[in-house]
Amino acid sequence: MSRGMTLIELLVSMAIIAVILGLTVVGIGALTGTQAKAVTNELVGAIRTLYDTSALTGRTCRLAFSLPDDNNTASETRYQTECSEKATAIRRESTQQLELKQSIAPQTETEKEERQKIEALLLHTNFSEQETKPRTLPSAVTLSVWTEHQLKAKNEGQAYLYFFPQGFTENAQIVVRQSDNAWTLVVSGLTGKVQIIPEALEPPI
């Protein structure tokens, strides 16, 4: 004569079913890039907010990315929004010059002095964290960031997308990846508008 399942057996069976369903959902999410899609939409919102904030307040703002370093397996992909504490006149050309000079070793004393001047300008502009807290991305999602003053896209270290009081930003491309899925945010420097392309685009260098 067969007996029914005990309460403990029933609970164990339900737990096993829950685990299997959870793994199925995670697997489907990886295939469809659900987390990457969510991050893409969040970044579009952050870009729009910083563009408007900079234009309305007269402050220079930036979207600051912290990308994992290959030599540090414990690091995570993060980004946060920052604005200067006071209205500032940091110009687009200054940030472009600094990034270019950081990527190329200075050859002369004059070049070294120019780099130091631009670095001093940016260092003396205090960027304070906005109301939004730093956002840590899911481990399955990776970013690469290219802005018009970079020689190539950045996949590790620090990267910045600046927004200026004059009502413009930088032409940029941010690629969001999850597994085989990728989306590219194409940012217009003049309007701040973002176009989402459902593939990984190469920087227009």
Side-chain angles (χ1 to χ4, degrees):
M1 181 177 178
S2 61
R3 63 182 181 83
M5 296 179 66
T6 66
L7 179 59
I8 293 177
E9 290 172 334
L10 183 60
L11 291 175
V12 170
S13 298
M14 291 177 65
I16 293 173
I17 292 172
V19 170
I20 293 173
L21 288 175
L23 292 174
T24 302
V25 171
V26 170
I28 293 174
L31 290 174
T32 60
T34 302
Q35 292 177 324
K37 285 182 180 178
V39 170
T40 297
N41 291 330
E42 291 171 3
L43 284 171
V44 171
I47 290 170
R48 186 72 256 175
T49 297
L50 286 178
Y51 183 88
D52 292 341
T53 298
S54 182
L56 292 173
T57 64
R59 297 184 295 166
T60 298
C61 297
R62 67 186 182 185
L63 190 55
F65 298 92
S66 178
L67 308 175
D69 191 321
D70 289 339
N71 296 323
N72 183 2
T73 56
S75 62
E76 300 172 307
T77 302
R78 298 187 301 274
Y79 72 84
Q80 64 187 48
T81 59
E82 303 172 335
C83 287
S84 57
E85 293 181 352
K86 300 178 181 178
T88 178
I90 287 185
R91 299 191 305 173
R92 186 179 194 174
E93 294 79 7
S94 296
T95 62
Q96 291 173 341
Q97 290 176 41
L98 177 58
E99 289 286 346
L100 286 173
K101 291 179 184 298
Q102 286 178 331
S103 62
I104 302 173
Q107 303 297 321
T108 66
E109 287 300 319
T110 301
E111 289 180 350
K112 291 180 181 179
E113 291 176 2
E114 289 178 357
R115 176 187 291 188
Q116 290 172 353
K117 288 179 181 178
I118 297 171
E119 288 176 339
L121 173 64
L122 293 181
L123 286 173
H124 285 86
T125 299
N126 296 318
F127 285 89
S128 58
E129 189 177 311
Q130 288 289 88
E131 294 180 0
T132 55
K133 295 181 179 179
R135 170 82 163 90
T136 300
L137 272 57
S139 58
V141 178
T142 61
L143 297 180
S144 65
V145 181
W146 173 85
T147 56
E148 61 186 284
H149 55 270
Q150 294 175 200
L151 297 179
K152 60 181 181 179
K154 287 189 176 182
N155 299 304
E156 60 182 31
Q158 298 296 316
Y160 301 98
L161 173 57
Y162 283 88
F163 300 81
F164 302 96
Q166 295 90 341
F168 58 84
T169 178
E170 301 172 287
N171 293 317
Q173 288 185 184
I174 304 169
V175 179
V176 185
R177 291 185 176 87
Q178 181 183 359
S179 187
D180 294 330
N181 303 282
W183 287 266
T184 301
L185 284 70
V186 181
V187 183
S188 169
L190 290 177
T191 65
K193 291 184 178 180
V194 182
Q195 182 181 8
I196 301 176
I197 308 297
E199 62 179 309
L201 298 182
E202 292 295 327
I205 300 175

